[in-house]
Amino acid sequence: AQTVTQSQPEMSVQEAETVTLSCTYDTSENNYYLFWYKQPPSRQMILVIRQEAYKQQNATENRFSVNFQKAAKSFSLKISDSQLGDTAMYFCAFLEGGSEKLVFGKGTKLTVNP
Amino acid sequence: GAVVSQHPSRVICKSGTSVKIECRSLDFQATTMFWYRQFPKQSLMLMATSNEGSKATYEQGVEKDKFLINHASLTLSTLTVTSAHPEDSSFYICSPRGDLLWTEAFFGQGTRLTVV
């Protein structure tokens, strides 16, 4: 079964600084998708960024970018110019192509300090 | 992204009563609905998966008679917590998915259930 590991339960960063959240996963499949979701205090799950495994180019969405290392099965999220509104739980998630179930990591609680 | 409406956002009920949570996909057809439960400071735990017009498939350890799922239409699914007990208090989240958006997961706003 696929597993997703987030090794950092909590992290903090100063406003305007850069922070990287780590995520590793385990799969024997070649076709899959990876996601980072943000869950702020409101608890609404928000998609931050997504990466298709067949794409070599790392996905980028404004201040959010990923470092996708397929061979190492690593999918880290970099947040640049951190803002107070980035304070949230961040979940890494995996979806196997053809499967229907998202597999979530345990999450990283990120606090952005003023 | 797609619009998902989950209602109610908060509910308090007495032990022994039943509570129904609704999840609507407002601008796409949800052929599959996922229901999650989230304990404080923990990740989302998949409870069950349902396809429109079919019986739900429950994850191991989830009581199907306690958590009744109905997915009668492509835009509405409901989760009913029957004979609720305090240990059922939790945060419940729905996630509808459509055939054309299969690799996109959208989520409802969640329902905080408190059983007293």
Side-chain angles (χ1 to χ4, degrees):
Chain A
Q2 289 82 9
T3 58
V4 177
T5 302
Q6 293 180 251
S7 59
Q8 305 150 315
E10 292 192 37
M11 291 193 73
S12 63
V13 64
Q14 290 300 121
E15 197 174 5
E17 298 290 305
T18 295
V19 64
T20 298
L21 309 183
S22 66
C23 172
T24 59
Y25 57 95
D26 186 25
T27 183
S28 58
E29 299 297 324
N30 205 39
N31 178 29
Y32 53 88
Y33 303 81
L34 293 160
F35 307 85
W36 278 98
Y37 284 93
K38 168 185 177 180
Q39 188 180 42
S42 68
R43 303 192 77 171
Q44 170 73 61
M45 293 287 284
I46 301 167
L47 176 65
V48 175
I49 201 163
R50 142 202 168 122
Q51 174 83 43
E52 292 89 344
Y54 65 84
K55 289 187 178 179
Q56 292 186 334
Q57 188 172 8
N58 289 325
T60 299
E61 287 288 344
N62 300 313
R63 298 182 296 108
F64 300 88
S65 62
V66 298
N67 183 2
F68 174 47
Q69 300 289 327
K70 191 172 183 179
K73 297 179 183 175
S74 171
F75 183 60
S76 61
L77 173 70
K78 185 171 83 170
I79 306 174
S80 304
D81 186 24
S82 298
Q83 300 176 0
L84 297 179
D86 295 334
T87 293
M89 282 289 290
Y90 286 82
F91 293 99
C92 179
F94 172 98
L95 177 67
E96 179 188 312
S99 173
E100 54 183 14
K101 297 181 183 179
L102 263 179
V103 178
F104 287 94
K106 291 188 175 182
T108 296
K109 181 180 179 182
L110 176 67
T111 302
V112 180
N113 298 309
Chain B
V3 180
V4 181
S5 176
Q6 184 174 341
H7 179 81
S9 58
R10 290 174 179 261
V11 59
I12 301 172
C13 70
K14 292 184 177 180
S15 289
T17 62
S18 295
V19 173
K20 181 182 286 188
I21 301 169
E22 290 189 350
C23 182
R24 296 179 183 274
S25 54
L26 300 182
D27 57 356
F28 72 101
Q29 294 185 327
T31 50
T32 303
M33 184 68 73
F34 301 87
W35 285 95
Y36 295 89
R37 182 173 181 175
Q38 186 179 30
F39 292 102
K41 299 183 180 181
Q42 292 191 25
S43 189
L44 280 68
M45 181 189 78
L46 181 64
M47 298 174 64
T49 305
S50 69
N51 293 304
E52 183 261 338
S54 303
K55 287 185 178 180
T57 301
Y58 291 81
E59 296 298 303
Q60 193 171 12
V62 178
E63 298 177 60
K64 62 179 182 180
D65 294 331
K66 167 165 277 297
F67 299 101
L68 300 180
I69 291 172
N70 183 285
H71 192 173
S73 79
L74 289 172
T75 58
L76 173 64
S77 176
T78 60
L79 167 67
T80 302
V81 183
T82 63
S83 187
H85 289 119
E87 56 264 32
D88 299 326
S89 298
S90 192
F91 192 69
Y92 295 88
I93 307 174
C94 67
S95 178
R97 206 176 299 173
D99 284 346
L100 297 180
L101 299 167
W102 190 247
T103 58
E104 300 282 349
F106 306 101
F107 295 87
Q109 302 93 323
T111 297
R112 182 182 299 280
L113 170 64
T114 303
V115 185
V116 298

